[in-house]
Amino acid sequence: MIKMQEVYMTYPNGVVALNGVDVTIEQGEFVYIVGHSGAGKSTFTKMLFREEVPTKGSVVVNNTDITTLKWKEVPYFRRNIGVVYQDFRLLPKLTVYENIAFALEVIEESPKNIRKRVMSVLDQVGLKNKARFIPDELSGGEQQRVAIARAMVNHPSLLIADEPTGNLDPETSWEIMRILEEINASGTTILMATHSKEIVNTVKKRVIAMEDGMIVRDEHRGEYGYEV
Amino acid sequence: MKFSTLKRHFKEGARNTWRNGWMTIASIGAVTTTLILVGVFLVLMLNLNHIANELEDDVQIKALIEVTAEESDVDQLEENINNINGIESIDFSTKEEELENLIDSMGEQGQAWGLYEQDNPLNDVFIVKAEDPLETERIAAEIEEFDFIYRVNYGQEYVDTLFKFNEYARNVGLVLIAALVFTAIFLISNTIKITILARKKEIGIMKLVGATNNFIRWPFFVEGMFLGVLGSVIPIAVILIGYYFLTQNMAILQQFNFVTILDFYPFALQISLIIVGIGASIGVWGSLMSVRKFLKV
Ligand SMILES: Nc1ncnc2c1ncn2[C@@H]1O[C@H](COP(=O)(O)OP(=O)(O)OP(=O)(O)O)[C@@H](O)[C@H]1O
Ligand SMILES: [Mg+2]
């Protein structure tokens, strides 16, 4: 599903964010990426939906080599990947319902199917009663659930979450984790960059630890392994 | 593209137009100003063109026949003129008819000429029209060579100047209109760009969920169209009302003058369509130009 080989990434300003990354992730896995600030976690995830292109090496996702992907093909490639950020990235003027529906309008889903699927994911993240609210009227945890609902609404094979609980209180974080595990149980690969020692040590999954743009540890059912 | 998607783009475009409030009004203002100027220019140009064409059609050669010419000489002359290349028509007019025309064309004052009816100082004439008005000069020169031609009249300088002025007016008009249109496109694209800066993040989010550039562009296309169409409302009203009054007053003027302007209908309809068309093009172009930069990611 994901195969990175000898991946190097140097930003235009000269910062080396990835320094030879080799990794394989199978379909259906749940993987944490941990490491100090600036270790390259976000850059790692950005490779996977072609937000950034590696300076060297190959990145293959869903049998697509993103280094040779033409820019016209990028939107279509991204439709099979859901992305969730710490800052939610919701469209501020659209309602909860419209934000989620947007991901389906883009793929020209029929209005009938859009309604059905949006209501179904809203139910799944427990926000059916807030469908008509705009993001500013929601709590952080609720906004994050909308972002997850949007990321999962077209059944992507891969869901990338970059610090999805970064802005949330512990209780809300567990709620988000429960939803992510549920999505994972349906077969979606989940890649989650996090600083939460508690989550990583409690909900045991594969852990990839990064340091200075390199993978320094990769264990199944691993520990967080850093002092917070 | 599915119909439901098109509907979505129109809804979204309308919503953005509405939401951008003051920026929308500023853009519409830019279109309105431009279109009023362009519209006035167009009205002037199209009417100049109309007048020129009318005068061009009127350009005719009057070949005055010597009073000494016999009937057989006149027949021979007609045959000779007919043989010249590029003749559209040739008509014979007696000096009595010429005098009558003259009196008619002068209205009240013309009555004075009635005194000449007994002793007509005019000549019989051939009235010759060239197929191409621009050939008039050559044909007139050829006719002048024939026997029994007393003189050839066609208002040389007048015709040449008219043609030159016409061409000149057309070119200047087109250049001015092009300059105005480009200024408006520039203004609009800059105005919309201000609203897009705020939307830059949104465009990034749209791309994140896999929206194609065209999908993102469509609502902007619609918004530009709305701006253009809304911006053409006032110019059309101003020009239609203005032109209506002009035609009303021209009707009085025309009694003294042989120059006419285009009738209110269908000209009013045509100019309205042209103005809406230009407005929509300005809006769409300006809007798409402003979004271009943000799609290159
Ligand atoms: N767009 C960019 N341009 C230039 N340098 C960048 C850019 N994004 C990240 N970097 C640099 O690349 C390095 C890795 O950044 P990255 O965001 O991948 O770290 P991270 O592990 O996600 O950190 P954090 O835990 O703080 O989110 C950092 O030194 C950062 O300054
Ligand atoms: Mg990061």
Side-chain angles (χ1 to χ4, degrees):
Chain A
M1 138 122 266
I2 297 171
K3 197 170 175 67
M4 286 197 183
Q5 281 176 305
E6 286 296 306
V7 174
Y8 292 83
M9 174 66 201
T10 309
Y11 280 107
N13 63 359
V15 174
V16 180
L18 295 182
N19 200 359
V21 170
D22 273 281
V23 73
T24 304
I25 295 169
E26 303 297 342
Q27 179 66 49
E29 280 196 79
F30 193 129
V31 183
Y32 292 120
I33 303 173
V34 300
H36 290 298
S37 189
K41 303 183 294 297
S42 294
T43 308
F44 180 102
T45 63
K46 282 176 183 167
M47 297 282 128
L48 302 176
F49 57 101
R50 206 185 186 273
E51 178 83 352
E52 301 287 351
V53 187
T55 16
K56 215 174 99 193
S58 88
V59 177
V60 178
V61 180
N62 288 329
N63 300 318
T64 306
D65 185 347
I66 72 121
T67 53
T68 57
L69 198 62
K70 293 193 189 72
W71 70 267
K72 269 194 184 276
E73 297 165 346
V74 172
Y76 303 96
F77 165 76
R78 283 189 185 159
R79 291 173 191 183
N80 206 17
I81 299 170
V83 183
V84 176
Y85 278 102
Q86 180 177 7
D87 59 357
F88 322 130
R89 309 227 174 152
L90 299 172
L91 294 164
K93 291 169 198 154
L94 301 189
T95 65
V96 166
Y97 181 94
E98 289 166 336
N99 259 287
I100 301 169
F102 185 78
L104 294 172
E105 284 168 359
V106 157
I107 57 174
E108 300 207 33
E109 194 56 78
S110 74
K112 200 175 130 225
N113 275 344
I114 292 180
R115 216 167 303 127
K116 214 171 71 192
R117 281 165 69 176
V118 173
M119 287 327 278
S120 145
V121 287
L122 274 176
D123 195 27
Q124 208 173 333
V125 298
L127 282 176
K128 235 177 168 168
N129 55 338
K130 305 244 159 116
R132 304 223 159 272
F133 287 45
I134 60 163
D136 274 349
E137 297 166 343
L138 301 179
S139 73
E142 287 168 335
Q143 289 190 53
Q144 193 57 297
R145 282 187 275 161
V146 177
I148 292 172
R150 180 183 64 192
M152 67 189 272
V153 73
N154 51 15
H155 305 304
S157 62
L158 169 64
L159 193 145
I160 296 165
D162 194 352
E163 300 186 40
T165 61
N167 279 338
L168 308 176
D169 63 71
E171 202 174 320
T172 318
S173 300
W174 293 119
E175 174 63 15
I176 298 296
M177 282 311 292
R178 183 193 63 72
I179 295 167
L180 289 180
E181 279 200 276
E182 219 173 277
I183 298 168
N184 180 236
S186 71
T188 302
T189 311
I190 299 209
L191 204 70
M192 173 171 158
T194 183
H195 284 288
S196 170
K197 181 179 182 175
E198 217 187 337
I199 288 176
V200 175
N201 288 346
T202 311
V203 186
K204 292 269 182 167
K205 303 287 180 190
R206 177 177 172 186
V207 176
I208 293 175
M210 296 191 69
E211 230 170 80
D212 298 329
M214 285 181 284
I215 294 180
V216 292
R217 184 160 56 92
D218 184 350
E219 316 173 304
H220 287 269
R221 296 187 60 75
E223 292 276 337
Y224 186 75
Y226 291 95
E227 289 313 310
V228 183
Chain B
M1 184 166 54
K2 281 191 185 174
F3 181 69
S4 61
T5 309
L6 190 67
K7 224 169 81 183
R8 182 240 166 230
H9 290 321
F10 267 83
K11 220 174 93 185
E12 187 66 19
R15 189 146 72 165
N16 288 339
T17 311
W18 176 249
R19 274 191 187 138
N20 287 331
W22 286 108
M23 285 305 163
T24 293
I25 290 169
S27 300
I28 291 176
V31 180
T32 301
T33 320
T34 311
L35 287 182
I36 288 179
L37 289 170
V38 167
V40 169
F41 261 117
L42 272 176
V43 170
L44 278 175
M45 250 179 66
L46 291 173
N47 271 299
L48 256 176
N49 215 23
H50 163 78
I51 291 168
N53 279 333
E54 221 173 39
L55 294 178
E56 265 178 29
D57 281 346
D58 280 353
V59 170
Q60 51 187 22
I61 301 165
K62 274 196 175 177
L64 281 63
I65 302 163
E66 297 262 22
V67 282
T68 56
E70 304 283 331
E71 206 173 314
S72 62
D73 298 326
V74 174
D75 288 344
Q76 180 60 44
L77 197 52
E78 176 167 13
E79 204 185 317
N80 287 342
I81 294 175
N82 247 328
N83 283 338
I84 299 174
N85 275 335
I87 299 284
E88 188 187 89
S89 66
I90 168 165
D91 287 304
F92 182 72
S93 169
T94 64
K95 57 182 173 185
E96 287 77 22
E97 287 168 334
E98 285 298 288
L99 185 62
E100 217 170 288
N101 285 343
L102 187 64
I103 293 171
D104 282 352
S105 71
M106 303 203 68
E108 301 272 301
Q109 300 165 321
Q111 298 308 324
W113 288 81
L115 300 172
Y116 285 95
E117 259 161 25
Q118 298 314 309
D119 186 16
N120 190 339
L122 301 178
N123 298 60
D124 292 337
V125 297
F126 278 120
I127 297 166
V128 181
K129 268 193 160 178
E131 277 170 6
D132 177 358
L134 294 169
E135 292 271 279
T136 307
E137 193 177 352
R138 174 185 62 82
I139 292 168
E142 281 188 46
I143 294 174
E144 201 155 21
E145 298 295 306
F146 296 138
D147 290 336
F148 298 109
I149 292 292
Y150 168 63
R151 209 175 47 177
V152 175
N153 277 346
Y154 73 96
Q156 285 90 324
E157 285 114 59
Y158 161 67
V159 171
D160 290 346
T161 320
L162 177 66
F163 289 145
K164 286 224 179 68
F165 177 73
N166 240 348
E167 211 178 294
Y168 185 70
R170 265 173 231 180
N171 292 340
V172 170
L174 285 178
V175 168
L176 279 172
I177 286 177
L180 282 170
V181 165
F182 276 111
T183 313
I185 289 174
F186 179 75
L187 281 175
I188 292 183
S189 80
N190 271 309
T191 316
I192 296 183
K193 213 176 259 169
I194 296 170
T195 72
I196 287 194
L197 279 175
R199 286 190 252 177
K200 188 182 170 183
K201 214 176 141 196
E202 290 178 42
I203 292 177
I205 296 172
M206 292 175 185
K207 297 194 118 186
L208 199 66
V209 298
T212 57
N213 282 351
N214 273 336
F215 191 92
I216 295 170
R217 224 179 257 133
W218 255 99
F220 284 99
F221 175 87
V222 173
E223 185 176 347
M225 209 166 62
F226 283 154
L227 294 178
V229 171
L230 289 173
S232 63
V233 171
I234 294 176
I236 287 177
V238 165
I239 282 163
L240 289 195
I241 293 169
Y243 198 71
Y244 181 74
F245 279 108
L246 191 65
T247 50
Q248 292 303 302
N249 293 318
M250 270 311 264
I252 302 164
L253 287 176
Q254 266 162 29
Q255 292 178 356
F256 307 102
N257 207 325
F258 54 92
V259 173
T260 66
I261 62 170
L262 291 157
D263 290 335
F264 185 72
Y265 189 85
F267 179 67
L269 191 71
Q270 292 162 344
I271 196 93
S272 304
L273 286 177
I274 293 175
I275 289 175
V276 171
I278 295 178
S281 314
I282 292 174
V284 166
W285 197 350
S287 169
L288 290 185
M289 234 169 72
S290 62
V291 77
R292 208 180 49 182
K293 200 173 102 195
F294 299 104
L295 292 175
K296 280 195 207 142
V297 198

